[in-house]
mmCIF file of all heavy atoms in Angstrom:
data_model
loop_
_atom_site.group_PDB
_atom_site.id
_atom_site.type_symbol
_atom_site.label_atom_id
_atom_site.label_comp_id
_atom_site.label_asym_id
_atom_site.label_seq_id
_atom_site.Cartn_x
_atom_site.Cartn_y
_atom_site.Cartn_z
ATOM 1 N N ARG A 1 133.729 112.703 107.191
ATOM 2 C CA ARG A 1 132.429 111.971 106.950
ATOM 3 C C ARG A 1 132.254 111.019 108.082
ATOM 4 O O ARG A 1 133.025 110.222 108.451
ATOM 5 C CB ARG A 1 132.546 111.291 105.548
ATOM 6 C CG ARG A 1 131.237 110.830 105.079
ATOM 7 C CD ARG A 1 131.401 110.285 103.697
ATOM 8 N NE ARG A 1 131.688 111.451 102.763
ATOM 9 C CZ ARG A 1 131.705 111.322 101.442
ATOM 10 N NH1 ARG A 1 131.411 110.143 100.848
ATOM 11 N NH2 ARG A 1 131.984 112.371 100.648
ATOM 12 N N LEU A 2 131.002 111.091 108.654
ATOM 13 C CA LEU A 2 130.739 110.278 109.865
ATOM 14 C C LEU A 2 129.638 109.293 109.540
ATOM 15 O O LEU A 2 128.740 109.648 108.850
ATOM 16 C CB LEU A 2 130.277 111.124 111.015
ATOM 17 C CG LEU A 2 131.427 112.067 111.581
ATOM 18 C CD1 LEU A 2 130.681 113.012 112.494
ATOM 19 C CD2 LEU A 2 132.521 111.447 112.047
ATOM 20 N N PHE A 3 129.754 108.215 110.160
ATOM 21 C CA PHE A 3 128.698 107.113 110.061
ATOM 22 C C PHE A 3 127.388 107.467 110.769
ATOM 23 O O PHE A 3 127.434 108.110 111.893
ATOM 24 C CB PHE A 3 129.232 105.806 110.742
ATOM 25 C CG PHE A 3 128.181 104.741 110.852
ATOM 26 C CD1 PHE A 3 127.812 103.985 109.816
ATOM 27 C CD2 PHE A 3 127.608 104.427 112.069
ATOM 28 C CE1 PHE A 3 126.789 103.035 109.923
ATOM 29 C CE2 PHE A 3 126.776 103.521 112.313
ATOM 30 C CZ PHE A 3 126.288 102.650 111.201
ATOM 31 N N VAL A 4 126.242 107.215 110.101
ATOM 32 C CA VAL A 4 125.016 107.498 110.733
ATOM 33 C C VAL A 4 124.209 106.189 111.032
ATOM 34 O O VAL A 4 123.856 105.924 112.140
ATOM 35 C CB VAL A 4 124.190 108.409 109.852
ATOM 36 C CG1 VAL A 4 122.736 108.666 110.371
ATOM 37 C CG2 VAL A 4 124.824 109.682 109.732
ATOM 38 N N ALA A 5 124.004 105.297 109.966
ATOM 39 C CA ALA A 5 123.205 104.175 110.164
ATOM 40 C C ALA A 5 123.557 103.177 109.099
ATOM 41 O O ALA A 5 124.087 103.608 107.915
ATOM 42 C CB ALA A 5 121.751 104.468 110.178
ATOM 43 N N ALA A 6 123.281 101.887 109.290
ATOM 44 C CA ALA A 6 123.570 100.861 108.228
ATOM 45 C C ALA A 6 122.576 99.818 108.418
ATOM 46 O O ALA A 6 121.933 99.524 109.534
ATOM 47 C CB ALA A 6 124.949 100.247 108.431
ATOM 48 N N ILE A 7 122.302 99.096 107.351
ATOM 49 C CA ILE A 7 121.327 97.991 107.252
ATOM 50 C C ILE A 7 121.985 96.906 106.374
ATOM 51 O O ILE A 7 122.618 97.153 105.356
ATOM 52 C CB ILE A 7 119.951 98.438 106.722
ATOM 53 C CG1 ILE A 7 118.966 97.216 106.864
ATOM 54 C CG2 ILE A 7 120.095 98.923 105.284
ATOM 55 C CD1 ILE A 7 117.541 97.875 106.709
ATOM 56 N N SER A 8 121.758 95.624 106.842
ATOM 57 C CA SER A 8 122.461 94.609 106.222
ATOM 58 C C SER A 8 121.676 94.332 104.800
ATOM 59 O O SER A 8 120.575 94.764 104.587
ATOM 60 C CB SER A 8 122.380 93.314 106.933
ATOM 61 O OG SER A 8 120.981 92.834 107.307
ATOM 62 N N SER A 9 122.153 93.531 103.961
ATOM 63 C CA SER A 9 121.581 93.255 102.586
ATOM 64 C C SER A 9 120.226 92.677 102.739
ATOM 65 O O SER A 9 119.388 93.051 101.852
ATOM 66 C CB SER A 9 122.459 92.393 101.834
ATOM 67 O OG SER A 9 122.666 91.194 102.537
ATOM 68 N N SER A 10 120.001 91.913 103.680
ATOM 69 C CA SER A 10 118.582 91.316 103.828
ATOM 70 C C SER A 10 117.719 92.215 104.495
ATOM 71 O O SER A 10 116.409 92.019 104.517
ATOM 72 C CB SER A 10 118.679 89.970 104.532
ATOM 73 O OG SER A 10 119.102 90.202 105.897
ATOM 74 N N GLY A 11 118.165 93.150 105.257
ATOM 75 C CA GLY A 11 117.368 94.059 106.019
ATOM 76 C C GLY A 11 117.252 93.563 107.492
ATOM 77 O O GLY A 11 116.581 94.182 108.280
ATOM 78 N N GLY A 12 117.781 92.350 107.772
ATOM 79 C CA GLY A 12 117.749 91.784 108.965
ATOM 80 C C GLY A 12 118.410 92.400 110.173
ATOM 81 O O GLY A 12 118.069 92.187 111.316
ATOM 82 N N SER A 13 119.583 93.175 109.875
ATOM 83 C CA SER A 13 120.258 93.751 110.851
ATOM 84 C C SER A 13 120.490 95.288 110.527
ATOM 85 O O SER A 13 120.602 95.658 109.374
ATOM 86 C CB SER A 13 121.679 93.102 110.876
ATOM 87 O OG SER A 13 121.584 91.691 111.261
ATOM 88 N N THR A 14 120.396 95.996 111.637
ATOM 89 C CA THR A 14 120.725 97.535 111.557
ATOM 90 C C THR A 14 121.663 97.865 112.526
ATOM 91 O O THR A 14 121.820 97.218 113.658
ATOM 92 C CB THR A 14 119.274 98.342 111.655
ATOM 93 O OG1 THR A 14 118.660 97.995 113.063
ATOM 94 C CG2 THR A 14 118.359 97.966 110.580
ATOM 95 N N TYR A 15 122.308 99.071 112.370
ATOM 96 C CA TYR A 15 123.215 99.590 113.294
ATOM 97 C C TYR A 15 123.098 101.055 113.203
ATOM 98 O O TYR A 15 123.002 101.669 112.138
ATOM 99 C CB TYR A 15 124.659 99.126 112.931
ATOM 100 C CG TYR A 15 125.555 99.224 114.077
ATOM 101 C CD1 TYR A 15 125.696 98.315 115.101
ATOM 102 C CD2 TYR A 15 126.514 100.333 114.062
ATOM 103 C CE1 TYR A 15 126.594 98.580 116.150
ATOM 104 C CE2 TYR A 15 127.447 100.571 115.009
ATOM 105 C CZ TYR A 15 127.529 99.557 116.113
ATOM 106 O OH TYR A 15 128.304 99.866 117.174
ATOM 107 N N TYR A 16 123.345 101.819 114.342
ATOM 108 C CA TYR A 16 123.102 103.192 114.425
ATOM 109 C C TYR A 16 124.359 103.907 115.168
ATOM 110 O O TYR A 16 124.755 103.333 116.180
ATOM 111 C CB TYR A 16 121.810 103.653 115.098
ATOM 112 C CG TYR A 16 120.573 103.210 114.401
ATOM 113 C CD1 TYR A 16 120.083 102.042 114.665
ATOM 114 C CD2 TYR A 16 120.053 103.968 113.374
ATOM 115 C CE1 TYR A 16 118.853 101.459 113.985
ATOM 116 C CE2 TYR A 16 119.004 103.537 112.745
ATOM 117 C CZ TYR A 16 118.314 102.331 112.967
ATOM 118 O OH TYR A 16 117.249 101.867 112.365
ATOM 119 N N ALA A 17 124.576 105.122 114.876
ATOM 120 C CA ALA A 17 125.526 105.804 115.575
ATOM 121 C C ALA A 17 124.891 106.283 116.874
ATOM 122 O O ALA A 17 123.571 106.454 116.937
ATOM 123 C CB ALA A 17 125.901 107.124 114.923
ATOM 124 N N ASP A 18 125.549 106.379 117.994
ATOM 125 C CA ASP A 18 124.872 106.790 119.255
ATOM 126 C C ASP A 18 124.194 108.008 119.071
ATOM 127 O O ASP A 18 123.159 108.252 119.698
ATOM 128 C CB ASP A 18 125.932 106.790 120.376
ATOM 129 C CG ASP A 18 126.376 105.452 120.777
ATOM 130 O OD1 ASP A 18 125.754 104.445 120.434
ATOM 131 O OD2 ASP A 18 127.555 105.398 121.426
ATOM 132 N N SER A 19 124.640 108.923 118.413
ATOM 133 C CA SER A 19 124.051 110.275 118.226
ATOM 134 C C SER A 19 122.761 110.344 117.633
ATOM 135 O O SER A 19 121.989 111.344 117.792
ATOM 136 C CB SER A 19 125.019 111.213 117.507
ATOM 137 O OG SER A 19 125.220 110.780 116.076
ATOM 138 N N VAL A 20 122.393 109.238 116.934
ATOM 139 C CA VAL A 20 121.112 109.251 116.188
ATOM 140 C C VAL A 20 120.073 108.179 116.716
ATOM 141 O O VAL A 20 118.948 108.055 116.326
ATOM 142 C CB VAL A 20 121.220 109.173 114.671
ATOM 143 C CG1 VAL A 20 122.100 110.256 114.170
ATOM 144 C CG2 VAL A 20 121.727 107.789 114.324
ATOM 145 N N LYS A 21 120.603 107.305 117.666
ATOM 146 C CA LYS A 21 119.853 106.170 118.024
ATOM 147 C C LYS A 21 118.554 106.655 118.739
ATOM 148 O O LYS A 21 118.713 107.525 119.669
ATOM 149 C CB LYS A 21 120.776 105.329 119.096
ATOM 150 C CG LYS A 21 120.299 103.881 119.205
ATOM 151 C CD LYS A 21 121.361 103.094 119.957
ATOM 152 C CE LYS A 21 122.671 102.969 119.311
ATOM 153 N NZ LYS A 21 123.737 102.322 120.106
ATOM 154 N N GLY A 22 117.367 105.960 118.449
ATOM 155 C CA GLY A 22 116.189 106.405 119.064
ATOM 156 C C GLY A 22 115.556 107.530 118.211
ATOM 157 O O GLY A 22 114.331 107.825 118.448
ATOM 158 N N ARG A 23 116.284 108.163 117.288
ATOM 159 C CA ARG A 23 115.593 109.255 116.516
ATOM 160 C C ARG A 23 115.574 108.979 115.072
ATOM 161 O O ARG A 23 114.630 109.381 114.302
ATOM 162 C CB ARG A 23 116.509 110.506 116.619
ATOM 163 C CG ARG A 23 116.541 111.099 118.071
ATOM 164 C CD ARG A 23 117.240 112.409 118.188
ATOM 165 N NE ARG A 23 118.530 112.536 117.641
ATOM 166 C CZ ARG A 23 119.024 113.125 116.692
ATOM 167 N NH1 ARG A 23 118.228 114.009 116.075
ATOM 168 N NH2 ARG A 23 120.293 113.198 116.298
ATOM 169 N N PHE A 24 116.485 108.233 114.554
ATOM 170 C CA PHE A 24 116.559 107.866 113.144
ATOM 171 C C PHE A 24 116.292 106.426 112.907
ATOM 172 O O PHE A 24 116.667 105.529 113.772
ATOM 173 C CB PHE A 24 117.976 108.087 112.509
ATOM 174 C CG PHE A 24 118.431 109.579 112.476
ATOM 175 C CD1 PHE A 24 117.586 110.594 113.006
ATOM 176 C CD2 PHE A 24 119.603 109.932 111.811
ATOM 177 C CE1 PHE A 24 118.063 111.996 112.938
ATOM 178 C CE2 PHE A 24 119.942 111.302 111.633
ATOM 179 C CZ PHE A 24 119.125 112.238 112.125
ATOM 180 N N THR A 25 115.744 106.093 111.779
ATOM 181 C CA THR A 25 115.429 104.702 111.538
ATOM 182 C C THR A 25 115.766 104.386 110.042
ATOM 183 O O THR A 25 115.348 105.076 109.158
ATOM 184 C CB THR A 25 113.943 104.274 111.635
ATOM 185 O OG1 THR A 25 113.550 104.582 112.945
ATOM 186 C CG2 THR A 25 113.648 102.829 111.315
ATOM 187 N N ILE A 26 116.657 103.430 109.742
ATOM 188 C CA ILE A 26 117.009 102.912 108.390
ATOM 189 C C ILE A 26 116.074 101.745 108.107
ATOM 190 O O ILE A 26 115.860 100.838 108.931
ATOM 191 C CB ILE A 26 118.550 102.610 108.474
ATOM 192 C CG1 ILE A 26 118.973 102.465 106.974
ATOM 193 C CG2 ILE A 26 118.774 101.432 109.239
ATOM 194 C CD1 ILE A 26 120.518 102.273 106.826
ATOM 195 N N SER A 27 115.830 101.768 106.778
ATOM 196 C CA SER A 27 114.985 100.642 106.227
ATOM 197 C C SER A 27 115.346 100.460 104.722
ATOM 198 O O SER A 27 115.881 101.345 104.139
ATOM 199 C CB SER A 27 113.443 100.904 106.462
ATOM 200 O OG SER A 27 113.048 102.083 105.742
ATOM 201 N N ARG A 28 114.958 99.327 104.218
ATOM 202 C CA ARG A 28 115.133 99.071 102.815
ATOM 203 C C ARG A 28 114.111 98.374 102.211
ATOM 204 O O ARG A 28 113.367 97.572 102.852
ATOM 205 C CB ARG A 28 116.578 98.382 102.622
ATOM 206 C CG ARG A 28 116.583 96.907 103.113
ATOM 207 C CD ARG A 28 118.010 96.412 103.001
ATOM 208 N NE ARG A 28 118.501 96.366 101.540
ATOM 209 C CZ ARG A 28 119.764 96.299 101.213
ATOM 210 N NH1 ARG A 28 120.812 96.386 102.305
ATOM 211 N NH2 ARG A 28 120.100 96.261 100.093
ATOM 212 N N ASP A 29 113.841 98.549 100.864
ATOM 213 C CA ASP A 29 112.831 97.761 100.147
ATOM 214 C C ASP A 29 113.658 97.119 98.974
ATOM 215 O O ASP A 29 113.944 97.881 97.991
ATOM 216 C CB ASP A 29 111.772 98.637 99.694
ATOM 217 C CG ASP A 29 110.670 97.931 98.891
ATOM 218 O OD1 ASP A 29 110.884 96.873 98.429
ATOM 219 O OD2 ASP A 29 109.526 98.453 98.873
ATOM 220 N N ASN A 30 113.941 95.884 99.021
ATOM 221 C CA ASN A 30 114.835 95.294 98.014
ATOM 222 C C ASN A 30 114.141 95.047 96.639
ATOM 223 O O ASN A 30 114.700 95.042 95.645
ATOM 224 C CB ASN A 30 115.431 93.926 98.465
ATOM 225 C CG ASN A 30 116.587 94.053 99.437
ATOM 226 O OD1 ASN A 30 117.145 95.199 99.578
ATOM 227 N ND2 ASN A 30 116.931 92.963 100.207
ATOM 228 N N ALA A 31 112.740 95.092 96.724
ATOM 229 C CA ALA A 31 111.998 94.970 95.535
ATOM 230 C C ALA A 31 111.941 96.255 94.696
ATOM 231 O O ALA A 31 111.874 96.267 93.463
ATOM 232 C CB ALA A 31 110.524 94.585 95.895
ATOM 233 N N LYS A 32 112.195 97.411 95.427
ATOM 234 C CA LYS A 32 112.213 98.719 94.824
ATOM 235 C C LYS A 32 113.668 99.212 94.684
ATOM 236 O O LYS A 32 113.749 100.399 94.199
ATOM 237 C CB LYS A 32 111.318 99.708 95.556
ATOM 238 C CG LYS A 32 109.810 99.255 95.568
ATOM 239 C CD LYS A 32 108.992 100.222 96.233
ATOM 240 C CE LYS A 32 107.532 99.881 96.194
ATOM 241 N NZ LYS A 32 106.655 100.875 96.996
ATOM 242 N N ASN A 33 114.627 98.443 95.201
ATOM 243 C CA ASN A 33 116.021 98.917 95.130
ATOM 244 C C ASN A 33 116.184 100.324 95.906
ATOM 245 O O ASN A 33 116.882 101.201 95.338
ATOM 246 C CB ASN A 33 116.488 99.079 93.710
ATOM 247 C CG ASN A 33 116.809 97.808 93.099
ATOM 248 O OD1 ASN A 33 116.412 96.624 93.581
ATOM 249 N ND2 ASN A 33 117.458 97.722 92.006
ATOM 250 N N THR A 34 115.555 100.443 97.039
ATOM 251 C CA THR A 34 115.757 101.660 97.765
ATOM 252 C C THR A 34 116.103 101.478 99.179
ATOM 253 O O THR A 34 115.722 100.506 99.893
ATOM 254 C CB THR A 34 114.384 102.488 97.789
ATOM 255 O OG1 THR A 34 113.279 101.656 98.313
ATOM 256 C CG2 THR A 34 114.028 102.780 96.357
ATOM 257 N N VAL A 35 116.763 102.367 99.876
ATOM 258 C CA VAL A 35 117.044 102.385 101.317
ATOM 259 C C VAL A 35 116.576 103.785 101.638
ATOM 260 O O VAL A 35 116.896 104.704 101.098
ATOM 261 C CB VAL A 35 118.438 102.100 101.603
ATOM 262 C CG1 VAL A 35 119.452 103.162 100.905
ATOM 263 C CG2 VAL A 35 118.792 101.966 103.012
ATOM 264 N N SER A 36 115.990 103.849 102.887
ATOM 265 C CA SER A 36 115.453 105.032 103.337
ATOM 266 C C SER A 36 116.107 105.361 104.830
ATOM 267 O O SER A 36 116.473 104.395 105.542
ATOM 268 C CB SER A 36 113.997 105.014 103.490
ATOM 269 O OG SER A 36 113.458 104.904 102.195
ATOM 270 N N LEU A 37 116.027 106.660 105.133
ATOM 271 C CA LEU A 37 116.449 107.061 106.587
ATOM 272 C C LEU A 37 115.395 107.988 107.041
ATOM 273 O O LEU A 37 115.334 109.174 106.521
ATOM 274 C CB LEU A 37 117.814 107.644 106.454
ATOM 275 C CG LEU A 37 118.391 108.158 107.806
ATOM 276 C CD1 LEU A 37 118.743 106.807 108.618
ATOM 277 C CD2 LEU A 37 119.686 108.958 107.731
ATOM 278 N N GLN A 38 114.656 107.517 108.026
ATOM 279 C CA GLN A 38 113.545 108.409 108.559
ATOM 280 C C GLN A 38 114.293 109.133 109.781
ATOM 281 O O GLN A 38 114.803 108.458 110.673
ATOM 282 C CB GLN A 38 112.361 107.581 109.095
ATOM 283 C CG GLN A 38 111.358 108.290 109.810
ATOM 284 C CD GLN A 38 110.587 109.279 108.908
ATOM 285 O OE1 GLN A 38 110.290 108.968 107.867
ATOM 286 N NE2 GLN A 38 110.413 110.531 109.377
ATOM 287 N N MET A 39 114.292 110.387 109.675
ATOM 288 C CA MET A 39 114.902 111.265 110.799
ATOM 289 C C MET A 39 113.854 112.052 111.486
ATOM 290 O O MET A 39 113.178 112.841 110.950
ATOM 291 C CB MET A 39 115.941 112.197 110.100
ATOM 292 C CG MET A 39 116.895 111.488 109.219
ATOM 293 S SD MET A 39 118.196 112.499 108.547
ATOM 294 C CE MET A 39 117.248 113.618 107.561
ATOM 295 N N ASN A 40 113.799 111.756 112.791
ATOM 296 C CA ASN A 40 112.859 112.481 113.596
ATOM 297 C C ASN A 40 113.596 113.236 114.762
ATOM 298 O O ASN A 40 114.681 113.015 114.903
ATOM 299 C CB ASN A 40 111.943 111.533 114.278
ATOM 300 C CG ASN A 40 111.012 110.749 113.335
ATOM 301 O OD1 ASN A 40 110.683 111.253 112.267
ATOM 302 N ND2 ASN A 40 110.610 109.428 113.667
ATOM 303 N N SER A 41 112.910 114.199 115.323
ATOM 304 C CA SER A 41 113.475 115.044 116.435
ATOM 305 C C SER A 41 114.712 115.648 116.011
ATOM 306 O O SER A 41 115.815 115.568 116.756
ATOM 307 C CB SER A 41 113.628 114.185 117.641
ATOM 308 O OG SER A 41 112.370 113.629 118.064
ATOM 309 N N LEU A 42 114.802 116.173 114.850
ATOM 310 C CA LEU A 42 116.019 116.688 114.251
ATOM 311 C C LEU A 42 116.564 117.901 115.154
ATOM 312 O O LEU A 42 115.836 118.686 115.708
ATOM 313 C CB LEU A 42 115.740 117.176 112.890
ATOM 314 C CG LEU A 42 115.721 116.043 111.831
ATOM 315 C CD1 LEU A 42 115.049 116.329 110.525
ATOM 316 C CD2 LEU A 42 117.125 115.444 111.666
#
């Protein structure tokens, strides 16, 4: 199992694996209790 992306509890910090940097975006909506991963250029 390999790391892809992470986001801090507040959403203020993100971190990506080099293999997905620039193609994937992680985000979260704490009001809706959701975290998303937008994956482009797959």
Side-chain angles (χ1 to χ4, degrees):
R1 193 169 296 189
L2 298 176
F3 170 76
V4 175
I7 188 166
S8 61
S9 58
S10 67
S13 296
T14 57
Y15 195 81
Y16 297 92
D18 287 344
S19 59
V20 307
K21 203 171 294 182
R23 300 188 297 124
F24 291 11
T25 303
I26 189 171
S27 60
R28 68 188 296 161
D29 185 337
N30 283 346
K32 296 182 178 179
N33 284 13
T34 59
V35 60
S36 298
L37 185 69
Q38 177 66 42
M39 306 186 297
N40 298 328
S41 301
L42 282 162

